[in-house]
Amino acid sequence: MISRLSSIKEGAAVTLLAIVLVGYFTFPLVLRPGSLGRTDSGDGQFSIWNVAWVARALITPGQRLFDANIFHPRRGTLAYSEANLGAGLLAVPGYALTRNPYVAHNSAFLLGLVLSVIGMYYLARRLSGSRPGAVVAAIVFSFCPYLFAHTAHIQLLMIGPLPFVFLALHAWVDAPTPRRAVVLGLTIGAQALFCAYYGILAGLLAGFCVVFYSVSRGQWRRPGWWGSAALAAAVSIMLVLPFFLPYVTLQRDTGFGRALDEARLYAADWRAYFASNAWLHTWMLPYLGQWKEVLFPGVTALTCGVIGAVAGLRRGGQLRETTAVYLCLGVLAIWSSFGPAAGLYSLLYHTIPVFSLLRAPARFGVAVSFALAILSAIGVAALLRRLARGRRRVVGALVIAAAVLDLSMTMPFRPVPPVPEAYRVLAASRPGSVVELPFFYHTHDFYRHSRYMLGSTFHWLPLINGYSDYIPTDFMESAFPLASFPNPEGFALLRARRARYAVFHLALYDSANRAALRRRLEAYREFLRPMVQEEQDEDVWLFEIVRWPDVHPPLG
């Protein structure tokens, strides 16, 4: 009873600490989740739309999850990029209460960080036996520079399940029962649903650990060990498979995939492991030149991690085993993050079919921070053991404070723009598909359609525009004719797509094209009924398509 009460108190204290840390590192986002966002980039706009769509689909009866409202009239369009099902699930409470896409996205981000802190604390405490060490590990992992360099990519913020994968792994290693194998498989599958990259990473690292411990503990001759490991793998596959089938269908029907040469462009280099966006690390940036990724783990993680590696290997026993396995995980993560040029990634690409859907080996570098977090906990524990009892709390608090200061940075979230009147009118209008203009037709401008996707979160009507990893051929073929809408070709394309509404963002046209647009709107005025125009909103105009022209009218 006393032990259980102590565990409850510790759990409550850890949860409170996680909330406080998340509040500090994300300030002021935690105070304004509905009015701040990464709307300054296409990826950020896409992420907000993505999370809001999944959250809405999960609570809307009859809504097919993968039939997202982009690239109308195509279906299954959520599978054109990562679905982010885990983030959408975390966003359900916030979205259900507010219907605000920014609340949905930001609540998923914040809750994911809280889970990461809690999970890493308990993992590091289990492996190091030190509460201060566990706090340091939770900080250096959950708030590493890599994470805050990707606030525009919701899937890369979903590192919360990873520590729980390894909690389940170590529990299984100590007693490989069927029940623990099932739990391990469920955690790996859950990580894959939160982020495909991290799910693959978790599966690979867990697989390595199974082999490592089979040798270190003499289990490799026992069929039961391998059978239990196979059960864990089967459970993870069964959990993910129903949500992975749309991607299999997409690849089969379109041939969509990533070439190995493409991975070279998104591989890390040595500069990445010194690049950071934390305040105390910016002095290094001028010396690096160009870097491909932000993977510096922080001074605290490096210092305590080195101490932990040396102390753990010297101490012997199970601690040496733990130290060795996390050192190996860190090395493998660095090796694979360097991409095809380093060899290991090429081997994985040609061996594991799912790698044909990946293109950014540098993202595996997050496992370096993960491994260093565990080694940091071991290092802090070793440091505190050498001190007198009265000084341990003081030194432990100082190390925790150093970790917080080491990784502090400015959050890149900005105030969100006001909702245009056109979107409010659409939300109250009859159902029908929407086209938003200008219709960006250059390949390097396709990402700009994501701003229209974000706008659609306020009305959720089918959108002819879209942006994703996979761009349909018919979208690319129709982009140029639609760029000059209203025009005969554009009307024909929109009629085939059963479009009802056209939204014009005048601020996105240059002065010459804006004048030409006004002339075309005047020429086709009998076909377009104004719903929101100049006298109401000078930037965003809304028209309903009420007729379809058969001939090209004179422009006068």
Side-chain angles (χ1 to χ4, degrees):
M1 183 66 180
I2 294 176
S3 176
R4 179 177 295 181
L5 181 61
S6 176
S7 297
I8 293 174
K9 288 182 177 179
E10 182 177 9
V14 171
T15 302
L16 179 60
L17 175 65
I19 293 172
V20 171
L21 286 172
V22 170
Y24 169 78
F25 277 102
T26 64
F27 186 84
L29 180 66
V30 71
L31 298 180
R32 300 169 57 192
S35 59
L36 294 177
R38 284 301 308 272
T39 57
D40 58 327
S41 74
D43 288 338
Q45 294 163 350
F46 180 93
S47 290
I48 297 167
W49 166 85
N50 187 312
V51 174
W53 169 263
V54 174
R56 176 182 176 273
L58 291 176
I59 61 175
T60 303
Q63 176 63 61
R64 294 172 60 91
L65 176 63
F66 276 87
D67 287 344
N69 72 321
I70 57 174
F71 298 119
H72 180 76
R74 283 179 167 263
R75 293 189 173 186
T77 52
L78 189 65
Y80 291 0
S81 189
E82 185 160 356
N84 293 311
L85 303 180
L89 182 62
L90 291 181
V92 163
Y95 185 78
L97 289 172
T98 66
R99 303 289 168 165
N100 184 314
Y102 305 109
V103 171
H105 178 277
N106 294 335
S107 62
F109 174 35
L110 297 172
L111 285 173
L113 285 179
V114 170
L115 287 175
S116 177
V117 172
I118 294 172
M120 180 51 80
Y121 172 87
Y122 279 107
L123 175 62
R125 182 172 177 267
R126 176 191 179 105
L127 299 179
S128 70
S130 168
R131 286 187 175 91
V135 174
V136 171
I139 293 170
V140 300
F141 173 66
S142 302
F143 308 105
C144 60
Y146 165 86
L147 186 76
F148 289 119
H150 289 285
T151 51
H153 308 97
I154 188 62
Q155 70 274 24
L156 301 185
L157 304 177
M158 295 291 105
I159 58 174
L162 191 58
F164 292 97
V165 171
F166 280 81
L167 272 170
L169 172 70
H170 286 288
W172 176 83
V173 167
D174 292 341
T177 64
R179 181 179 178 181
R180 293 187 176 189
V182 169
V183 173
L184 174 58
L186 290 175
T187 57
I188 295 174
Q191 178 62 89
L193 295 180
F194 274 83
C195 176
Y197 274 91
Y198 300 161
I200 294 170
L201 177 64
L204 291 174
L205 296 182
F208 172 81
C209 289
V210 168
V211 175
F212 181 95
Y213 283 112
S214 73
V215 175
S216 68
R217 300 195 177 184
Q219 297 276 21
W220 62 276
R221 295 180 179 177
R222 294 183 55 196
W225 171 271
W226 299 109
S228 186
L231 175 60
V235 169
S236 66
I237 292 172
M238 286 190 294
L239 177 60
V240 173
L241 187 59
F243 305 101
F244 185 67
L245 287 177
Y247 296 92
V248 175
T249 302
L250 175 67
Q251 192 169 39
R252 181 197 64 202
D253 294 345
T254 67
F256 175 72
R258 305 291 192 183
L260 187 60
D261 284 341
E262 192 173 356
R264 300 179 192 277
L265 301 175
Y266 298 95
D269 56 13
W270 68 267
R271 295 176 181 84
Y273 285 95
F274 291 93
S276 170
N277 45 16
W279 296 330
L280 294 184
H281 307 155
T282 54
W283 65 270
M284 298 187 296
L285 301 183
Y287 298 99
L288 298 180
Q290 296 294 323
W291 60 89
K292 295 183 176 182
E293 185 57 276
V294 175
L295 293 173
F296 184 62
V299 176
T300 305
L302 280 175
T303 304
C304 295
V306 170
I307 294 173
V310 174
L313 293 176
R314 285 181 176 178
R315 193 169 179 83
Q318 189 168 329
L319 187 63
R320 174 182 289 177
E321 182 185 52
T322 299
T323 304
V325 73
Y326 280 93
L327 274 172
C328 290
L329 293 182
V331 170
L332 289 173
I334 293 176
W335 188 4
S336 59
S337 73
F338 285 144
L344 179 59
Y345 188 88
S346 296
L347 175 64
L348 295 172
Y349 182 90
H350 292 296
T351 305
I352 304 175
V354 74
F355 267 68
S356 64
L357 295 174
L358 308 182
R359 69 171 181 176
R363 294 175 180 177
F364 289 168
V366 71
V368 178
S369 291
F370 178 75
L372 278 174
I374 299 301
L375 296 176
S376 295
I378 296 172
V380 172
L383 177 64
L384 297 182
R385 279 196 301 267
R386 294 177 173 271
L387 301 175
R389 185 179 298 272
R391 300 181 60 188
R392 290 178 184 174
R393 290 187 178 181
V394 175
V395 174
L398 289 175
V399 175
I400 292 171
V404 171
L405 182 62
D406 183 26
L407 300 178
S408 296
M409 63 158 290
T410 301
M411 287 293 292
F413 287 75
R414 299 291 181 266
V416 302
V419 180
E421 180 64 19
Y423 292 150
R424 299 186 189 277
V425 172
L426 279 173
S429 299
R430 293 180 299 168
S433 61
V434 181
V435 62
E436 301 212 28
L437 303 127
F439 205 97
F440 303 105
Y441 61 91
H442 287 296
T443 303
H444 60 267
D445 278 337
F446 280 167
Y447 77 93
R448 300 179 70 181
H449 288 273
S450 60
R451 71 178 295 150
Y452 304 149
M453 295 164 62
L454 176 57
S456 76
T457 61
F458 297 100
H459 57 74
W460 289 122
L461 295 177
L463 189 64
I464 292 170
N465 308 75
Y467 172 69
S468 204
D469 287 341
Y470 169 71
I471 303 295
T473 303
D474 58 343
F475 175 89
M476 292 188 285
E477 291 173 347
S478 61
F480 184 75
L482 286 176
S484 300
F485 183 80
N487 58 2
E489 299 88 346
F491 271 110
L493 289 167
L494 294 182
R495 187 173 190 175
R497 289 161 172 78
R498 299 180 181 177
R500 170 168 283 174
Y501 304 105
V503 179
F504 296 88
H505 297 258
L506 270 69
L508 301 182
Y509 291 88
D510 60 34
S511 58
N513 282 316
R514 193 180 305 124
L517 171 63
R518 290 175 183 271
R519 291 194 296 270
R520 293 197 305 274
L521 288 173
E522 176 62 23
Y524 287 96
R525 65 182 182 276
E526 62 181 294
F527 307 102
L528 299 169
R529 180 178 70 88
M531 298 175 69
V532 176
Q533 205 174 356
E534 190 165 10
E535 63 273 11
Q536 297 163 297
D537 194 314
E538 295 186 358
D539 181 30
V540 183
W541 292 1
L542 170 64
F543 293 83
E544 182 180 9
I545 303 173
V546 293
R547 291 178 54 200
W548 301 101
D550 294 323
V551 296
H552 184 11
L555 291 179

